Amino acid sequence: MNLEPKMTTTHRPRHFLCASLLALGLMAGCATTPSASGWTPLYDKGSNLNDWTLVGDANWRIQEDAIIADYLRSKTPSYLVSKATYTDYEIRAEFWVDSQTNSGIFIRCQDPTKIGADNCYEVNIWDTRPDPSYGTGAIVDVAKVSPMPRAGGQWNVMEITAKGDALTVKLNGVVTVNARNGKFSKGHIALQYGSGVVKFRQVLIKSL
C-alpha cells in the first residue's frame, strides 16, 4: 500500500471553509487535519489491507476507497488487527457508521487473536449501546462519556492519544475522554465490526 498520506489542495482559506461547514451543520469535516510530517498511514484510501490481519468472520473489504464491513457471518464481532505493536502514539481515523452500528477502535491489545475490552482499551463507536455511558466516545470500563455524542449517518474524525498512562479521545474535535489508566502500556490496534455498516477511509498513526 502507499505509505505516504495523500494531501489535497484548496484555494480557499481553511477558516472560510470551516465557517461554511459550520453553517451547514457539517463541522465534523473541520476537525484537526494532520500534516504529513510524522504520520504513517495504516490505511489511507489504499488498495490493500496488508497492514492488517483478519480476526472473526465479517465481510471486510475495500470499496470506494474505504474499508467497509456490513455483514457478520458469526455471533461474535470481527476485527482487523494491526500486524505491528505500538506504545505511545496518536491515531487519527475518519469513519462513517449508521445509527445502529456497533464498532470501535481498540488500542494496546495484548493478544492479536483475541480482542476485547478485558485485554485492550476499547474506544467505542456505538450510538445505541444499552448503557450510553460507555457508548460512542467512551473507553469501555475505563472512562465514561457524558453526554454521549452521536456519530451515525455522517463522516467523523476520531483522534486517540495514548502516552504512558494518559488516554485522550476526541470526536470531531471535541474531547470525550481524558483519563489515566496504566493497565496496558503497548500492543496491537484493532478496528471492530459488530453490526450495522462501518467505513474507514483513513487511519493514520504518529509516534509520540
Side-chain angles (χ1 to χ4, degrees):
M1 65 179 288
N2 182 10
L3 294 181
E4 295 183 0
K6 296 182 180 180
M7 306 298 291
T8 56
T9 302
T10 179
H11 298 289
R12 292 188 175 185
R14 184 167 179 79
H15 64 82
F16 179 87
L17 176 61
C18 287
S20 300
L21 290 173
L22 179 61
L24 294 172
L26 297 174
M27 194 59 190
C30 282
T32 303
T33 300
S35 66
S37 178
W39 290 91
T40 299
L42 296 177
Y43 181 81
D44 187 15
K45 300 180 182 179
S47 59
N48 62 65
L49 298 174
N50 290 346
D51 290 319
W52 304 91
T53 298
L54 174 64
V55 174
D57 198 13
N59 64 338
W60 292 101
R61 64 198 186 275
I62 295 176
Q63 183 176 318
E64 298 177 353
D65 290 329
I67 304 171
I68 299 176
D70 55 15
Y71 180 70
L72 190 64
R73 301 180 185 91
S74 63
K75 294 182 179 180
T76 57
S78 179
Y79 304 89
L80 290 179
V81 183
S82 69
K83 293 181 178 179
T85 60
Y86 303 90
T87 304
D88 292 337
Y89 51 84
E90 182 178 352
I91 293 173
R92 184 184 191 274
E94 296 182 10
F95 69 93
W96 187 97
V97 291
D98 65 28
S99 60
Q100 302 299 314
T101 296
N102 177 7
S103 184
I105 300 174
F106 289 64
I107 65 172
R108 292 182 174 174
C109 296
Q110 304 301 292
D111 183 348
T113 67
K114 184 180 179 182
I115 308 299
D118 59 338
N119 67 350
C120 311
Y121 294 119
E122 178 185 356
V123 182
N124 216 355
I125 303 170
W126 192 3
D127 288 357
T128 55
R129 191 177 193 270
D131 177 5
S133 62
Y134 287 121
T136 298
I139 302 177
V140 176
D141 297 333
V142 172
K144 296 181 178 181
V145 60
S146 181
M148 185 189 73
R150 301 282 179 171
Q154 63 184 15
W155 282 101
N156 302 271
V157 176
M158 180 168 277
E159 297 166 281
I160 304 168
T161 302
K163 187 174 184 180
D165 67 350
L167 305 171
T168 303
V169 178
K170 292 182 182 179
L171 183 66
N172 299 327
V174 177
V175 175
T176 59
V177 162
N178 195 348
R180 289 191 174 272
N181 186 285
K183 187 175 182 180
F184 308 121
S185 61
K186 64 179 180 179
H188 299 265
I189 295 165
L191 309 179
Q192 182 193 47
Y193 175 73
S195 65
V197 179
V198 64
K199 306 176 185 179
F200 290 94
R201 67 182 178 189
Q202 185 184 75
V203 183
L204 304 178
I205 190 166
K206 178 170 67 174
S207 296
L208 299 176

